[in-house]
Each structure stands twice: as C-alpha cells, then as structure tokens.
Amino acid sequence: MAAPTAAERYAAARRRQSDEGTELARFRDRLDLVLDDFQLRACRALEAGRGVLVAAPTGAGKTIVGEFAVHLALASGRKAFYTTPIKALSNQKYADLVAVHGAAQVGLLTGDVTVNGEAPVVVMTTEVLRNMLYAGSSTLRGLGFVVMDEVHYLADRFRGAVWEEVIIHLAQDVQVASLSATVSNAEEFGAWLDTVRGDTEVVVEEHRPVPLYQHVLVGRRMHDLFVEGDGADAGEAVVNPELVDKARQDARTARHVGSRRGRDGYRARPDRRPSFSADRPSVVEQLDRAGLLPAITFVFSRAGCDAAVRQCLDAGITLTTEDEAVEVRRLVEERTRQVPAEDLDVLGYWEWLDGLERGIAAHHAGLLPSFKEVVELLVVRGLVRCVFATETLALGINVPARSVVLEKLVKWNGEAHVDVTPGEYTQLTGRAGRRGIDVEGHAVVVWHDGLDPRALAGLASTRTYPLRSSFRPTYNMAVNLVAQVGRDRAREVLETSFAQFQADRSVVGLATQLRQHEQAMAGYVEAMTCDKGDFTEYAALRRAISEREAELSRARQRGRRAEVVASLEALRPGDVVLVPGGRRAGYAVVVEADGAPGLEGPRPTVLTVDRQLKRLTLAEVTSPVETVTRLRVPKDFRPRNPQSRRDLASSLRQVLPREEQTGKRGGGRRGGSAAGEDQRLVELRRRMREHPCHQCPDREDHARWGERLTRLQAEHAKLSKRIEGRTSSVARLFDKVCDVLLELGYLVPRDGDDRAGDDSGRDLRVTRDGARLRRLSSELDLLVAECLRTGVWAQLDAPGLAAVLSSLVHEPRRENGPPAGRLPQGAVGDALRGTFTTWGRLRGIEGDHDLSTLREPDAGIAWAVQRWARGQSLDSVLRDTDLAAGDFVRRCKQLVDLLGQVASASDDPAQRRTALTAVDLVLRSVVDQATYA
C-alpha cells in the first residue's frame, strides 16, 4: 500500500488533535496498535451518540468498534451487551473482554451458561437478548450499548429473524453497533437501521488490511490466477492464459474419453467426482515448502476431513518440532482431563492426539465440542499448522491462517450439491492472512476436473454479496407481540422489519410515522382531559354536530345547485328576475339567454337597474333566480351602446315597484325557518348543552386539543390505508399465524368472544395456553405447546421425556439417510406416536390457512438419548448408530435447552420435576463438559 501523502499525514494529525480529551483518545492510549480510518470514523460516531453499521472484510478489525462501545458504556456508567451468533464466539469474546476489564466487570449468558449475569458488560448469544426483551427482564435496566457482532447472520434462514427482533424491540435510547462482513447492500441495511433505530452512520471498508492473492495448484506447480495484461490491457489483471489452456485441454480429453467409452461399450460417468486421496499429503508438503503454512483446507465433508488427516499421517508428515509436540500434549491433556477414560476410544482420542502432536487436525461439527476448542486454541498458538475443515470454521470464531485451500468449488447444502457462491468464497478465503503476523494472505484452489478458471476468477473478484432478510413471524413471536402491544400494534411493528423494508422500502417510513402519530395522539388525549367529565365524549358530540351541519350543507348545496341550473336554463330575453344572493343580488332583465351551456353551466346575460351588463354564473348565483315580470327588449338593443343600456334600464325601473327601483332587494324570501330544522341536529345540540364539559371554563382550550386529535386521527387513518395498500407480506403472514392461534385457542378476541366468525382486524388477547407458548422458543414451538396442553407427554419418566423431546431437536444430516438407531417401545413409543399425530393435525390446520412452518419431527436419536439418560456409556449409546460423538453432544445440548423451556412452561408440577430431572440426566459427562454446541 502506498505511503500516505503529506496532506494525508497532516489531516490525520489534525484528527488526532481533535480527539484529545475524548473517550476515543483514552481508548486509543491503551491499545498497542494504530486504528484505521474506518475504525476511527465508527468510534467517533458512537461517541457522538449515533448508532453505527460497520461492514468490513474478515480480519479488518471491526471488533475494535464493538470494544469501544464497551469502553463508552463503562466510562458513562451504563451497561453494554455484546451479542454473537454462536456460543463459541461468545466464549471467545468473553475471554477477550475479561482480559481487558477483569472478571468482575464482565458476564456471560449463553442459555446454558450464566456467569456474572448482572455485570456492567455481558456477552451473550443473540437469542438470549431476544428472550430478555420479550420477558421485560430487569437486566435491561441501564442498558446503553448493544454490539451486534456478525449481524449479517440475519440472513440465516433458520435463526436470522432473531437479529431483526432485537433491533426492532430495543429501547430507542440504546445505541447499536452493528458489525458485518462486507455486503453489497450495506447502504440499504444502514438505511433500514436509520429508520428503525434513528441516526445511524454506515461505515464501509473494502480494503483488506492483509492483501489476498489468488492461486491455482496444478499438480506440483502453483499458478497465479491473475496475471498482468499486456498491450491494450496493460496494467489490468486478467485470468492466467495457462490455466485457460489447461481447462480447454481437460475438456477435450473428457470428450474423447467419453466417446471412446461409448464406442467400447463402457458407460460414461459424467457425474464421477475426482478423488483427492493421493494429492492431499503432497499439497501440504508444497504449502510447507512455499512458506504458506499454517493453512486451512476446506473439504466440505466430515469424512473427507478425517480421511485427509489419516492420509497425511500415513504419509509421515510432521509439521512440529519435538518441543512443540510436548507442548501440544500438555495443552490437550489439560483441556480434556475431564473426559471419562472409558469414552476416549469411542471419541477417537488417540488418533486425534497423534495428529495434533504432528501439527495436523480436522475441524467439523462431528467433533466433540471440547476437541474443537482445543484445535482452535492450537491453531491460534501456531502449534497446529494444517487444518482440514468444513465451512463451519469459516462461520465460527476467529481462527485465521496464512493460506486457505479449497479442494473443490462444489458443496453439499443439505439437499443437493451446489456451486460455492461468491459470498461463500469470500467468507472462506477471508480467513487467509493474519493481521499483525502476515504481510499477505493466499487463497489456493486445487485443480480438479471441471474447474473453469474464468468462473473461479468471477468468484475471486466478487468481494461482496447482498444481505437478504430471512425474517418470518413465528407462533412464539406472535403471542409475545400480541401480549405486549396487541395485534394492531404488532402488525405495525412487523412493518418495520428489514424483510418488509426490502419488500417495500417506503412502508417502513410510513409505519414509523404511524408510531409517531400514536405517541402524539396519546399526548393530545392527556391535554384534553377535563375534570368536569369525559371530554372525549363531549368532543365527539361537537364533532358529530359539525359533521351533521356539513352534511346538511352539502345536501342543500347539491339540491340548490340543481335548482339554480334549472332556473338559469329557463330564462328568456325580457324576463325580469330577482337574483337572491351573491354579488349580482337584486333585479335585472335578461337580454340574452345561453342557448348552448358549457361545462360551467348556463350563463345568461342580464342588465341591472344601474345599467351594468353582467353574466349570471353558478359560481355567483347561490340560489335559484326568480322571474317577477316580463319586459320587451327592443330588437335594436345594442349591449355595447351606453344609450341602449340607459333606455332599457329606465324601462326596467318603470315596471318595478317603487321600493325596488333603487336596485336593492327588498324583503325577499329568506332561508328556511327553525320549524324546518333537522331533528338529528337539534338532538345533538341538546345533548352537547347538557354535557357537564359544556360548562367547563377551559372548554375551548380542551376543544383545540380535541380538534388536533381529530385531524391527526384522520391523517393516521389515511396513512394506515396507504400501508395496507402496499406490499404487506410480513403483516399478512402474521395474520395467518394469528388465525391458526385463534383456531387453536392460544389467542381469542379481546372482548372474550371466542365464537366462530371473522376475527380479522379484531384486537386479540393471549389465553393461558398462549402464555405457555410465550415461554417456548423452539423451532417447533407450537407442537411443544400443543403436546403439553393435550398431555401427550404426561405419563413419561425423565429418560422417556428426554427421548421424545429429542425428536423435536434432531434433524438428520441428509434426507433418506440411514437411521441413527431403533425406536423406543412402550410408553415412550406411544408418546412418540402421539407427538407425530399432533404434528400431522397441526400441519393440516396450517394448510387450511396457507401456512407451512412446522417441519416434521425425527425420532432417529430417541433410543440413543433414552439410553444416555439412563446412564449408559457413550460407547454403548453410539455403538449401533451412525451418529458422530460431536453431533450427539450438540443434540443433547439443544435437548437440555428445550427441556428447560418445557420445565418453565409446564403447568403440571410433576411434569416440571420430570423435565428438570431429565436435564440433570442428559447434562453429564462429555455433554456437561461441552461449553458450546
């Protein structure tokens, strides 16, 4: 990177000078690094009281901004919550903050771990904060800052809604520091944050602090993916032509082999995938010779990761010294000493330790969580120099390396083999290059059949990807929102989601205006309060009188206009008329009729007694004209001739009575008498005069506030219609969720009338069953609530309850894969069948409402969980299944969380005790030692 110019150095010095005496200056003084411009911009925005969104590449140092938010909170005597998407990252951040601020100042909340939860700084998973907000936790008191690390997780289709719920529901005086990977629509996301959170500064940093170079490894030779162009393309990076030629040669060879197999009677296998078994040790050796270790090799297969370690060990590769191997063993034994000795074999401990001592390891979800922690620790300390990993390592905690290797650009997404996206490629290769250690990072793609260098160049050149909301209302969310703010307000809240913002950006602004209207209307109601009586009722009477008067006036105007038109159309030359009102009031003689009235109606020409020649128009004639007599108009009458006008005006005065010759109306017909007054209007006026507020001395002051309220209510109604007419997809989905809950009785109309009928648009309240659902945040929340309500699990003992609930947390890794074990029998089998029957009934109800949110349970690990809860060893539990130890532990941790929810939600004391007992039975041995899952 080019050295800064003199002007840039001067500007930087001025900025440092302006920071003197600020919290940012004090924060910088304790750091042993120089902050980048984007970090300074974000920190200054926080200190100025604004929220920030920082979008920067992996390893750029955006967490510095989150740490400054913590510093500001402590300096101002407020609390700071540091939220992360996964427990492992929470644990890592907790350790980092404790090292800076001390254990007394920092707490940790991850659902199953509580450490110093009332500390001024608390690290937590985002779900924990969401649950706090819904519960109105007292821990929120004094909260000043929330750091949302990895906020781009809101695109996660399973858990993304949690981030949006937190952002929407946090108090407005809480500053939010959102830290995101580089996304292409950061400005759009920032605009949403600005709308729902207030003033938010968007700080986008596209520069990687450690440059990343792209390579392709072909055999034993490393090729640069990009080379400098020549000629017209001088100075531009182009795809290496050697790689393009290699791809063409491979394509010709593949076509030749395919056609030859066809001729020779052999079936071609176009879907055959290359094997890397023989190449992995040589790849590691080449990386070592090139000085590119430590390296993370992404394999996209658990079995592939484990096989890669075995292949390297079989090849005799050792990447550590004897002293380093001793240090590795010491650390491993220290971190795993609580693992029961009888479980070491089933966990593959000895093979795993052999690889670690030689600097080689696998990292994937099938590993025991404590084993993954050890691998991560050793990588960070430089003792493990080659890691074969699935993409979970790229999405987890900060474990960078000098280089990242991709064996192929296709991965299994749980349903099919799909190409790696530009965003995924960016996330994976972003681990390459350790800030403060490496001067450059390297991304290496191993050559394989079908590799297209141009497509790879597209992946490598696309540094950003769009952030798309995955927000969907859930049953738990619905009952919590209805309980807190009611159905109508809940719909408005959902209109402010990022999902709705992206569907129709203008709706969020309108919905925010609605919320402001509601606050203003509440203030108006308070200002018009009268100690004489209900001024709202009195104002309604006044409004009803005004509306009735206006209605009658409009009716009179409509009738009078028709009469006026008819009277004007009937006029003929010589008619002497009485114009009853307006500027033309008085007597006149018609000199010219309007034979062809236009859009403005008939406009006859008349001569008044004072010799003025005028046209009668509908705008000026307020009531029908009256013909009183006739007068002959001479055929030679010339309107523009003054003498002709004088003569005709003289004739007009002669035919009029003496009292009318002045040209002014006499006592003509007036408006209707009181006897014809509208009876409804009379009654409204009587009720207004008799109302106690009519005698209030401050009546007109109250009335002015009432008029403002009326105007704002009208504007509010118009705004609501505008929103309803826009794309309200999230709110409509919420309505469907509420309809299901209405049918099942978790919600009822607020007036208590739960009879069948159209409840759309009616406000709702949460029933006792709904209150239970509020405490259930499982993915299958409604199924859990319904099974509790109907007593499906009432007769189970603790191991049986754990077994049945495992069907609600377990998801097989691949569809139609081998079963994990046989199903339990007896009462547990009956309860499982009852659970599946309940699920089928709920899916039918969802289908009636055009919904599909509840995935099917899976009882694949029920038998294993039941035996584990009965105290059997890990070896015996897993012996007859294809379940990896890490998967089993992770499911058990999820099960413990669900059992805790069931204990909290159950109304049956016996079942509550059973659930708590099941927690103790499941949370033992390797499950209890797993700090994250």
Side-chain angles (χ1 to χ4, degrees):
M1 187 170 65
T5 64
E8 290 171 337
R9 289 196 300 272
Y10 175 74
R14 290 295 301 270
R15 286 194 295 270
R16 285 194 298 272
Q17 186 177 14
S18 67
D19 289 336
E20 289 182 4
T22 65
E23 288 302 329
L24 177 55
R26 285 183 275 274
F27 178 70
R28 292 169 64 175
D29 288 343
R30 67 174 178 79
L31 298 177
D32 58 355
L33 54 88
V34 178
L35 296 185
D36 293 338
D37 284 344
F38 85 92
Q39 295 168 328
L40 292 171
R41 280 179 56 205
C43 290
R44 291 189 183 109
L46 281 175
E47 188 163 6
R50 298 192 294 275
V52 293
L53 166 63
V54 183
T58 299
K62 50 185 174 286
T63 56
I64 284 287
V65 180
E67 292 167 6
F68 180 64
V70 170
H71 172 90
L72 282 176
L74 292 174
S76 61
R78 290 178 289 173
K79 287 184 179 180
F81 288 172
Y82 198 111
T83 72
T84 73
I86 57 177
K87 296 177 183 179
L89 195 52
S90 292
N91 293 333
Q92 185 185 62
K93 204 66 218 176
Y94 169 72
D96 293 343
L97 292 174
V98 165
V100 175
H101 301 289
Q105 294 283 77
V106 185
L108 177 67
L109 296 174
T110 60
D112 55 348
V113 175
T114 299
V115 178
N116 199 15
E118 296 298 326
V121 179
V122 183
V123 183
M124 62 186 67
T125 52
T126 318
E127 283 89 350
V128 169
L129 179 52
R130 187 270 309 270
N131 295 340
M132 277 187 187
L133 289 167
Y134 279 148
S137 171
S138 60
T139 305
L140 296 167
R141 197 172 299 121
L143 181 62
F145 295 86
V146 168
V147 180
M148 305 204 73
D149 205 353
E150 310 286 355
V151 74
H152 54 273
Y153 261 73
L154 65 78
D156 184 88
R157 65 191 181 112
F158 296 114
R159 301 167 56 216
V162 174
W163 277 257
E164 292 189 49
E165 289 178 82
V166 168
I167 290 170
I168 291 171
H169 293 305
L170 274 174
Q172 285 297 311
D173 60 346
V174 176
Q175 287 178 248
V176 176
S178 302
L179 312 180
S180 170
T182 307
V183 293
S184 56
N185 59 337
E187 287 76 13
E188 179 189 36
F189 184 47
W192 174 68
L193 287 171
D194 195 74
T195 302
V196 297
R197 298 297 316 162
D199 191 6
T200 300
E201 179 143 344
V202 179
V203 179
V204 177
E205 174 63 32
E206 296 181 353
H207 171 72
R208 276 181 55 96
V210 179
L212 180 65
Y213 294 95
Q214 307 283 338
H215 312 282
V216 178
L217 182 61
V218 183
R220 293 185 174 275
R221 182 182 172 193
M222 191 84 74
H223 295 258
D224 291 335
L225 176 60
F226 297 104
V227 296
E228 292 294 325
D230 55 353
D233 296 325
E236 290 187 12
V238 298
V239 180
N240 191 329
E242 291 186 39
L243 296 175
V244 175
D245 290 342
K246 167 69 173 168
R248 289 173 182 156
Q249 293 171 10
D250 283 4
R252 285 195 294 268
T253 300
R255 287 195 297 270
H256 174 71
V257 171
S259 61
R260 180 176 178 181
R261 282 178 176 165
R263 289 194 305 270
D264 294 344
Y266 294 99
R267 185 178 62 166
R269 297 180 61 193
D271 62 336
R272 181 174 178 267
R273 300 191 180 277
S275 170
F276 299 95
S277 301
D279 293 334
R280 284 167 177 150
S282 64
V283 169
V284 174
E285 290 171 346
Q286 290 180 72
L287 292 173
D288 192 17
R289 285 195 299 269
L292 296 183
L293 295 180
I296 300 171
T297 300
F298 287 106
V299 181
F300 303 132
S301 162
R302 297 180 182 184
C305 292
D306 294 335
V309 173
R310 287 194 299 271
Q311 290 154 17
C312 290
L313 297 182
D314 290 345
I317 294 178
T318 299
L319 304 175
T320 56
T321 65
E322 290 185 6
D323 289 342
E324 288 173 334
V326 171
E327 176 67 8
V328 167
R329 178 177 284 270
R330 185 189 67 78
L331 285 169
V332 170
E333 291 177 347
E334 176 186 314
R335 294 301 181 104
T336 62
R337 61 176 178 268
Q338 292 182 335
V339 177
E342 63 270 18
D343 291 336
L344 294 179
D345 286 337
V346 70
L347 293 172
Y349 173 84
W350 304 110
E351 295 84 355
W352 173 68
L353 176 59
D354 184 26
L356 294 179
E357 289 180 322
R358 292 162 65 175
I360 304 168
H363 188 287
H364 54 72
L367 280 179
L368 196 68
S370 57
F371 283 19
K372 285 194 292 185
E373 285 183 312
V374 169
V375 172
E376 293 157 3
L377 172 66
L378 295 177
V379 172
V380 170
R381 295 197 179 186
L383 296 173
V384 164
R385 311 192 69 218
C386 182
V387 181
F388 295 93
T390 57
E391 64 180 323
T392 54
L393 184 60
L395 302 174
I397 69 174
N398 184 25
V399 184
R402 180 164 297 168
S403 63
V404 164
V405 181
L406 276 72
E407 288 192 340
K408 54 185 176 180
L409 301 176
V410 175
K411 67 167 191 170
W412 174 259
N413 68 356
E415 298 175 355
H417 286 95
V418 297
D419 293 333
V420 171
T421 67
E424 290 165 340
Y425 186 87
T426 300
Q427 186 78 29
L428 295 168
T429 58
R431 293 296 185 194
R434 297 164 298 177
R435 186 171 186 175
I437 301 176
D438 301 317
V439 296
E440 59 190 32
H442 299 268
V444 180
V445 176
V446 179
W447 187 272
H448 54 273
D449 291 348
L451 177 63
D452 181 353
R454 290 191 176 92
L456 174 58
L459 290 175
S461 301
T462 306
R463 289 291 176 215
T464 59
Y465 54 97
L467 185 61
R468 295 283 177 249
S469 172
S470 62
F471 185 84
R472 285 174 62 90
T474 65
Y475 295 108
N476 171 268
M477 185 193 306
V479 290
N480 272 295
L481 284 174
V482 170
Q484 288 187 330
V485 298
R487 181 180 192 167
D488 293 340
R489 180 73 180 83
R491 294 182 92 258
E492 294 173 13
V493 168
L494 295 174
E495 291 286 3
T496 66
S497 67
F498 187 45
Q500 188 60 54
F501 186 82
Q502 291 190 306
D504 183 353
R505 291 186 61 169
S506 65
V507 167
V508 175
L510 296 176
T512 301
Q513 289 182 47
L514 281 182
R515 295 166 71 174
Q516 294 170 347
H517 284 178
E518 290 173 348
Q519 294 173 355
M521 288 189 293
Y524 293 166
V525 169
E526 183 177 353
M528 62 187 279
T529 301
C530 178
D531 58 4
K532 300 287 187 182
D534 186 351
F535 203 89
T536 301
E537 183 180 80
Y538 178 72
L541 283 172
R542 289 176 60 135
R543 187 164 59 252
I545 290 171
S546 297
E547 290 172 354
R548 185 57 179 171
E549 288 175 340
E551 180 183 344
L552 293 173
S553 175
R554 288 191 297 269
R556 286 193 297 268
Q557 288 175 359
R558 288 193 297 270
R560 186 176 295 122
R561 178 182 174 87
E563 293 175 1
V564 170
V565 170
S567 68
L568 293 179
E569 286 178 341
L571 295 179
R572 296 294 179 265
D575 287 345
V576 177
V577 298
L578 174 62
V579 181
R583 291 189 303 161
R584 303 293 183 257
Y587 289 97
V589 59
V590 178
V591 295
E592 183 180 344
D594 190 352
L599 295 176
E600 296 178 356
R603 301 175 64 195
T605 304
V606 300
L607 181 72
T608 65
V609 293
D610 55 0
R611 303 190 300 276
Q612 296 296 314
L613 201 66
K614 303 293 183 182
R615 279 187 179 273
L616 298 180
T617 66
L618 292 174
E620 295 179 322
V621 179
T622 58
S623 60
V625 296
E626 181 181 353
T627 301
V628 295
T629 186
R630 283 191 57 79
L631 173 69
R632 190 180 70 83
V633 178
K635 291 184 179 180
D636 58 352
F637 174 75
R638 288 174 294 173
R640 296 183 179 278
N641 186 286
Q643 185 61 47
S644 292
R645 293 201 299 273
R646 276 196 299 270
D647 292 346
L648 187 57
S650 177
S651 300
L652 175 60
R653 284 193 293 271
Q654 291 175 8
V655 301
L656 293 176
R658 181 175 299 275
E659 63 271 18
E660 299 292 349
Q661 291 183 11
T662 59
K664 302 299 181 183
R665 279 193 62 180
R669 293 187 301 176
R670 303 291 180 184
S673 65
E677 196 163 6
D678 180 72
Q679 291 303 307
R680 180 180 171 190
L681 186 59
V682 170
E683 174 61 19
L684 287 171
R685 287 172 174 164
R686 182 192 65 77
R687 290 171 57 192
M688 180 187 71
R689 288 192 297 269
E690 294 177 356
H691 196 283
C693 290
H694 192 66
Q695 308 304 322
C696 177
D698 299 323
R699 180 186 69 196
E700 294 310 311
D701 287 339
H702 296 330
R704 279 190 289 274
W705 287 109
E707 289 166 3
R708 294 177 186 177
L709 176 64
T710 299
R711 287 195 297 269
L712 193 57
Q713 285 173 333
E715 185 179 344
H716 187 79
K718 290 179 181 178
L719 207 56
S720 296
K721 287 185 178 180
R722 285 177 62 191
I723 290 178
E724 198 63 36
R726 304 290 177 92
T727 305
S728 300
S729 55
V730 176
R732 286 198 298 269
L733 182 58
F734 172 73
D735 287 339
K736 294 177 182 178
V737 169
C738 287
D739 290 342
V740 170
L741 295 173
L742 272 164
E743 181 172 337
L744 291 169
Y746 290 88
L747 297 175
V748 295
R750 183 163 289 281
D751 59 7
D753 180 7
D754 56 359
R755 294 170 296 177
D758 181 12
D759 292 306
S760 60
R762 301 177 65 182
D763 204 1
L764 307 172
R765 65 176 177 85
V766 178
T767 65
R768 183 176 179 180
D769 291 328
R772 182 187 303 114
L773 178 55
R774 289 188 67 186
R775 299 191 290 273
L776 298 169
S777 57
S778 161
E779 185 184 355
L780 295 174
D781 47 13
L782 184 60
L783 177 56
V784 178
E786 194 68 1
C787 287
L788 285 174
R789 179 168 75 164
T790 56
V792 173
W793 307 328
Q795 304 305 315
L796 294 172
D797 61 8
L801 181 61
V804 174
L805 290 186
S806 74
S807 68
L808 307 184
V809 299
H810 179 59
E811 292 183 75
R813 291 190 55 232
R814 53 178 56 88
E815 191 175 358
N816 298 324
R822 69 182 181 89
L823 294 179
Q825 303 300 314
V828 176
D830 293 340
L832 279 171
R833 283 187 288 275
T835 302
F836 277 77
T837 299
T838 303
W839 171 81
R841 176 170 58 83
L842 293 177
R843 282 301 301 268
I845 295 173
E846 281 198 324
D848 294 340
H849 294 277
D850 194 27
L851 278 176
S852 179
T853 70
L854 300 173
R855 66 167 177 81
E856 185 175 5
D858 189 290
I861 63 171
W863 177 232
V865 167
Q866 185 178 17
R867 287 185 293 156
W868 175 257
R870 286 175 173 172
Q872 295 188 22
S873 69
L874 183 66
D875 184 19
S876 63
V877 165
L878 299 181
R879 187 179 302 143
D880 299 326
T881 74
D882 70 336
L883 203 62
D887 287 330
F888 180 74
V889 170
R890 187 169 63 258
R891 295 298 185 223
C892 284
K893 296 291 281 187
Q894 294 169 336
L895 173 59
V896 165
D897 181 65
L898 180 56
L899 283 165
Q901 293 182 39
V902 168
S904 172
S906 180
D907 297 328
D908 180 0
Q911 190 165 62
R912 188 180 304 118
R913 288 193 297 271
T914 301
L916 292 175
T917 301
V919 168
D920 293 335
L921 295 178
V922 174
L923 196 61
R924 65 179 180 87
S925 187
V926 292
V927 177
D928 188 29
Q929 294 153 21
T931 56
Y932 68 86

